[in-house]
Amino acid sequence: MRAMRCAGAGARAGLSSLLTALLLTCAIPPDTGPVPFGPTATDTSVPPVGRTWPVGSRPAVLRGWEPPATTYGRGHRGVDLAAAPGTPVRAVTAGRVSFAGRVAGKGVVSVELPGTGDPPLRTTYEPVRAAVEKGAEVAAGEVVGTVEPTGSHCASPCVHWGLRRGETYLDPLSLLPPWLLRRGPSRLLPVIGVPVPP
């Protein structure tokens, strides 16, 4: 019914005012495209505070989060994002660098996220050559390092992105709001009964 009212209003207006009328009177529905991997964290206190993906604008998720059945059980305690060596790795939201160094030969950067509970959430990125030092305050989207050419556990180059609250591993995708998880751009739909301009 809303689309019909919008189309009627637009048909009575001139071409230049048609777009204005549509933008002012029609709500564009949110993109309902598929989500590559939905948040599956059992901790509902994970706020969607992320403002950017760690690498790229919408990287391929090579492997999703697979929580272990027990503390030391098998699983995948994070997500693997496709990323070529040398790709900048960014902080998904503002925080404080709690670790920047090497663990078992791999470069690791961890960022603690203030205001996310007690204990606070902490993101990790590996294998990453750190561009920051422990204690540094970082802004959302700030480069914390670059993907190293070796140390990845993926079949193709990737960065492993993890999320923890204390000793509990969570799904890092739950940090991202729905608009960052969606695939594809928003699309305008045609208006019935309005001629296409020459």
Side-chain angles (χ1 to χ4, degrees):
M1 196 62 139
R2 173 179 281 182
M4 290 171 61
R5 273 187 273 134
C6 291
R12 290 187 296 273
L15 181 58
S16 63
S17 59
L18 169 64
L19 292 175
T20 303
L22 285 173
L23 291 174
L24 294 175
T25 61
C26 299
I28 298 172
D31 186 344
T32 55
V35 174
F37 288 90
T40 54
T42 55
D43 184 348
T44 57
S45 69
V46 175
V49 294
R51 295 294 169 255
T52 184
W53 285 88
V55 291
S57 59
R58 198 168 269 123
V61 178
L62 303 178
R63 185 176 176 191
W65 183 64
E66 300 164 15
T70 62
T71 303
Y72 301 105
R74 294 181 63 178
H76 191 236
R77 294 163 172 84
V79 296
D80 295 334
L81 305 174
T87 300
V89 178
R90 302 178 186 282
V92 296
T93 191
R96 184 184 59 79
V97 177
S98 57
F99 181 83
R102 303 198 76 74
V103 175
K106 296 180 186 179
V108 177
V109 173
S110 295
V111 179
E112 189 174 278
L113 312 181
T116 57
D118 185 28
L121 294 170
R122 186 172 72 242
T123 60
T124 58
Y125 313 94
E126 64 177 79
V128 173
R129 179 172 287 119
V132 291
E133 295 182 355
K134 181 178 178 179
E137 299 288 332
V138 294
E142 185 174 337
V143 174
V144 296
T146 55
V147 178
E148 291 185 325
T150 60
S152 170
H153 60 245
C154 303
S156 58
C158 79
V159 65
H160 178 83
W161 175 30
L163 176 66
R164 290 172 70 172
R165 184 185 298 284
E167 298 303 312
T168 304
Y169 289 89
L170 301 166
D171 182 359
L173 291 178
S174 58
L175 282 174
L176 300 181
W179 62 270
L180 269 175
L181 288 170
R182 282 192 212 105
R183 290 182 179 173
S186 297
R187 295 174 296 281
L188 290 176
L189 300 176
V191 178
I192 308 300
V194 177
V196 176

